[in-house]
Amino acid sequence: MQPFKIRILGCGSALPTLKHFASSQIIEVRDKTFMVDCGEGTQIQVRRARIHFNKIFAIFITHLHGDHCFGLIGLISTLGMLGRTAPLHIYAPKELGPILKLQMDFFCNGLEYEVTFHEVDTSVAGIVYEDKSVIVKSIPLNHRIACCGYMFSEKPTLPHIRRDMIDFYRIPECYRNNIKNGADWITPEGEVIPNNRLTEPAAAPRSYAYCSDTKYLPELYKLVYGVNLIYHEATYCSENENRASLYYHSTAKQAATVALNAKAKSLLLGHFSARYDNENAILNEARNIFPNTYLANEMSVFDVE
Amino acid sequence: MQPFKIRILGCGSALPTLKHFASSQIIEVRDKTFMVDCGEGTQIQVRRARIHFNKIFAIFITHLHGDHCFGLIGLISTLGMLGRTAPLHIYAPKELGPILKLQMDFFCNGLEYEVTFHEVDTSVAGIVYEDKSVIVKSIPLNHRIACCGYMFSEKPTLPHIRRDMIDFYRIPECYRNNIKNGADWITPEGEVIPNNRLTEPAAAPRSYAYCSDTKYLPELYKLVYGVNLIYHEATYCSENENRASLYYHSTAKQAATVALNAKAKSLLLGHFSARYDNENAILNEARNIFPNTYLANEMSVFDVE
């Protein structure tokens, strides 16, 4: 099975702490490397994680709070110094466009690669990016300012051909693609061998939903239903539920409820408030509702399974 | 003697490394806390150094390359979240003004303190800031774009009164300020006690020059002559002298030559190129010319003596 990995570069919230960097993750799926969010210090974390800077194909920004985008100009600038030539695609709420342009015009003079800005309508669930093997959709969230999460999904792949059956029936090379695409085989004697005896189904396509930042959305689960892994912000424990609501954030219990209702396989929590010295209380609160829960942590890697 | 301390928050150069943060220092002199330069990640380092964010009175930016100013907007934003009410003064080349304003208008809506922007003319050596006890002057440098260093100097203080002499001559309280300001004392018998028998000279005022980034300037020493501590960038060793010149940077030998000619007491080197795994070669090269040389390093503190 091809890798589908989530690397945590930062999972803190707005205030700097000794423990966490601001939000950023790397998503490796099929042959692509994406970044989601790019808080201050992200380029330092990319170096620390030993990720090849120039492999980053596109960056998806959820919303325009500093802890999710202040690292962008530094990263763009560094990619230039590292000799990048391939375009970099940035998907973000449209208000980022003019701010980034002014910064780049001044600080990134003579950049030898193109930065292509794609406006994202955060108010709808729609396709933001698509290639032959991956699709990325926006997930509208409610965080006072325009904000959306992103769902990264593999596209279904063709079934695998069973080598033993191909050999047994002496099916010629030129016909194998037809079989991959669903054709049966008719032997010289006229016997029909149904496709499902000649192939094995491909692994089910996997998906990862990144949901940060948002107040609790009871209907959110419908947009991420059946997701393999969901990252949901859990800035607070339930004892701070009022504060969470006031600042348009979620509690661990609320994050777990979304994962439970979505029938997700696993839940990853992050965007921890600076008030928590350790996040075990957050973890335990979520596990009471959704046992297969994990805490994000800088440099951790999670497989989407 | 009052403290005069330099705290290194970052002393790397443009590319992120596992070892160094981008340029930033804290200067504590008399009752003031200044910052010079504010590269990406500076607010993380302020936290790490356990410096009280709200003590930072003013920030001096040398030039508008990202590794010297990309941390500014994040720091300004964080100061707001921490409830700052006192104004923050920013001294920088004028081109930063509109860029910072656009960012602040968008990201720092509702900030409850004032950010006062002061344009610095980097082409002249002039007074940039002055209060009752400290003076900050610009030091023109040559780094292709507008760039200046900053010299932080204590103002001379009044001499200390000798308690033993005051008691011996029974000099009344109301006259002591006159003596501090240079007056002699005339005894009831008409004897003149000269001021220098009643006082001890105050410690000589100290100064710190921060010179980054610049190509080698053979005349620079004149502007920092007699400085106690000079920080001079030493991006490269002499083996990369051509590269240093090409990118308007300096070698360790050149930095040491400036310190030697300036008759500085000590030299602090920084702004190390990412190509050096350890900077001992840089240190040794400088010490051959100017023995009292030290390497900057994140979280190190240097006293200006």
Side-chain angles (χ1 to χ4, degrees):
Chain A
M1 198 154 33
Q2 291 194 65
F4 190 167
K5 287 181 188 295
I6 314 301
R7 291 177 191 273
I8 311 298
L9 301 181
C11 58
S13 56
L15 287 174
T17 68
L18 297 180
K19 198 171 172 191
H20 295 301
F21 273 70
S23 289
S24 185
Q25 298 185 2
I26 292 285
I27 292 115
E28 294 168 27
V29 50
R30 299 283 169 90
D31 58 343
K32 285 287 196 311
T33 299
F34 301 110
M35 176 179 281
V36 62
D37 281 337
C38 187
E40 184 175 347
T42 292
Q43 61 169 326
I44 298 167
Q45 297 291 84
V46 169
R47 182 70 89 191
R48 197 168 284 165
R50 301 187 183 281
I51 293 158
H52 197 305
F53 278 87
N54 278 325
K55 276 197 175 167
I56 300 166
F57 173 79
I59 303 174
F60 297 84
I61 301 292
T62 57
H63 66 294
L64 303 184
H65 280 159
D67 57 323
H68 295 257
C69 64
F70 280 170
L72 210 42
I73 184 66
L75 181 61
I76 290 171
S77 171
T78 291
L79 289 173
M81 286 185 276
L82 292 174
R84 185 183 183 108
T85 53
L88 176 71
H89 297 274
I90 295 178
Y91 298 82
K94 67 172 186 294
E95 293 79 3
L96 183 61
I99 299 171
L100 199 59
K101 184 176 184 316
L102 181 74
Q103 288 179 290
M104 286 181 54
D105 285 349
F106 188 82
F107 291 110
C108 303
N109 213 350
L111 211 61
E112 286 179 17
Y113 71 97
E114 208 174 322
V115 175
T116 307
F117 187 80
H118 306 264
E119 291 181 8
V120 173
D121 181 350
T122 60
S123 68
V124 297
I127 295 175
V128 172
Y129 168 84
E130 185 172 11
D131 64 25
K132 69 183 195 315
S133 54
V134 174
I135 192 161
V136 183
K137 288 182 187 165
S138 54
I139 307 167
L141 299 174
N142 184 356
H143 190 50
R144 205 173 41 220
I145 66 164
C147 182
C148 69
Y150 293 100
M151 170 97 119
F152 299 81
S153 305
E154 293 178 313
K155 286 185 175 174
T157 51
L158 294 174
H160 303 297
I161 284 183
R162 287 187 55 180
R163 166 67 45 191
D164 56 344
M165 300 302 274
I166 294 296
D167 289 348
F168 183 81
Y169 289 108
R170 299 186 181 175
I171 300 173
E173 185 72 33
C174 63
Y175 198 75
R176 290 178 196 177
N177 216 29
N178 295 1
I179 290 176
K180 250 186 127 52
N181 281 286
D184 300 328
W185 172 248
I186 300 165
T187 64
E189 295 75 29
E191 188 190 356
V192 175
I193 314 297
N195 184 273
N196 65 11
R197 286 191 54 207
L198 303 171
T199 59
E200 275 173 354
R206 295 161 295 177
S207 56
Y208 172 62
Y210 176 88
C211 303
S212 185
D213 301 0
T214 189
K215 73 189 306 179
Y216 175 54
L217 291 174
E219 307 291 304
L220 175 58
Y221 77 92
K222 294 177 184 170
L223 293 178
V224 295
Y225 197 81
V227 72
N228 294 69
L229 175 63
I230 178 172
Y231 171 91
H232 194 293
E233 72 128 293
T235 309
Y236 302 107
C237 285
S238 285
E239 65 194 25
N240 282 303
E241 192 176 332
N242 289 342
R243 177 177 287 266
S245 172
L246 184 65
Y247 293 111
Y248 289 70
H249 282 301
S250 300
T251 65
K253 183 179 170 186
Q254 292 167 340
T257 305
V258 171
L260 183 73
N261 292 338
K263 297 201 187 304
K265 288 209 174 59
S266 325
L267 168 64
L268 189 55
L269 300 177
H271 203 267
F272 308 121
S273 163
R275 71 184 53 215
Y276 298 101
D277 276 341
N278 89 51
E279 294 92 11
N280 282 336
I282 289 176
L283 180 64
N284 293 335
E285 180 175 310
R287 282 191 170 167
N288 277 338
I289 289 165
F290 190 85
N292 206 16
T293 299
Y294 303 88
L295 293 177
N297 200 11
E298 279 70 11
M299 299 299 123
S300 290
V301 182
F302 296 88
D303 286 304
V304 180
E305 285 169 341
Chain B
M1 199 156 32
Q2 290 194 65
F4 190 168
K5 286 181 187 298
I6 314 301
R7 291 178 191 272
I8 311 298
L9 300 181
C11 58
S13 56
L15 286 174
T17 67
L18 297 181
K19 198 171 174 193
H20 294 300
F21 273 70
S23 289
S24 184
Q25 298 184 2
I26 291 286
I27 292 113
E28 293 168 28
V29 49
R30 300 284 168 91
D31 58 343
K32 284 288 195 311
T33 299
F34 301 111
M35 175 178 280
V36 61
D37 281 337
C38 187
E40 184 175 349
T42 292
Q43 61 169 326
I44 299 167
Q45 296 293 84
V46 170
R47 182 70 90 191
R48 197 168 283 166
R50 301 188 182 283
I51 292 158
H52 197 305
F53 278 87
N54 279 324
K55 279 197 174 166
I56 300 166
F57 173 80
I59 304 174
F60 297 84
I61 301 291
T62 57
H63 66 294
L64 302 184
H65 280 158
D67 56 324
H68 294 256
C69 64
F70 280 169
L72 210 43
I73 184 66
L75 181 61
I76 289 171
S77 171
T78 290
L79 289 172
M81 286 185 276
L82 292 173
R84 184 183 183 107
T85 53
L88 176 72
H89 297 273
I90 295 178
Y91 298 82
K94 67 173 187 294
E95 293 79 4
L96 183 61
I99 300 171
L100 199 58
K101 184 173 183 321
L102 182 73
Q103 288 179 291
M104 286 181 55
D105 285 350
F106 188 82
F107 290 110
C108 303
N109 213 350
L111 210 60
E112 287 179 17
Y113 72 97
E114 209 175 318
V115 175
T116 307
F117 187 79
H118 305 263
E119 290 182 7
V120 173
D121 182 350
T122 59
S123 67
V124 296
I127 295 175
V128 171
Y129 169 83
E130 184 172 13
D131 64 25
K132 67 183 196 315
S133 54
V134 175
I135 193 161
V136 183
K137 289 183 187 163
S138 55
I139 307 168
L141 299 174
N142 184 356
H143 191 50
R144 203 173 42 218
I145 66 164
C147 181
C148 69
Y150 293 100
M151 170 98 118
F152 299 81
S153 305
E154 293 179 312
K155 285 186 176 174
T157 50
L158 295 175
H160 303 297
I161 285 185
R162 287 186 57 180
R163 167 65 48 191
D164 55 345
M165 301 302 275
I166 294 295
D167 289 348
F168 182 80
Y169 290 107
R170 295 185 185 175
I171 300 173
E173 184 72 32
C174 62
Y175 198 76
R176 291 181 195 172
N177 216 30
N178 295 2
I179 291 177
K180 247 184 128 53
N181 281 285
D184 299 330
W185 172 248
I186 300 167
T187 64
E189 295 76 28
E191 188 190 356
V192 175
I193 314 297
N195 184 273
N196 65 11
R197 286 190 53 206
L198 304 171
T199 59
E200 274 172 353
R206 295 162 295 177
S207 55
Y208 172 62
Y210 176 89
C211 303
S212 185
D213 300 359
T214 189
K215 73 188 308 178
Y216 175 53
L217 291 174
E219 307 291 303
L220 175 58
Y221 76 93
K222 294 178 186 171
L223 293 177
V224 296
Y225 197 82
V227 71
N228 294 70
L229 176 63
I230 178 172
Y231 172 91
H232 194 292
E233 72 128 295
T235 309
Y236 302 107
C237 285
S238 286
E239 66 193 26
N240 282 302
E241 192 176 331
N242 289 342
R243 179 177 286 268
S245 171
L246 183 66
Y247 293 111
Y248 290 70
H249 283 299
S250 299
T251 64
K253 183 179 170 187
Q254 292 167 340
T257 305
V258 172
L260 183 73
N261 292 339
K263 296 201 187 302
K265 289 210 172 60
S266 324
L267 168 63
L268 189 54
L269 300 177
H271 203 267
F272 309 120
S273 163
R275 72 183 53 214
Y276 297 102
D277 276 342
N278 90 51
E279 294 93 13
N280 282 335
I282 289 177
L283 180 63
N284 293 335
E285 180 175 308
R287 282 192 169 165
N288 277 338
I289 290 166
F290 189 85
N292 206 16
T293 299
Y294 303 90
L295 293 176
N297 201 10
E298 279 71 10
M299 298 300 121
S300 290
V301 182
F302 297 88
D303 286 304
V304 180
E305 286 169 342

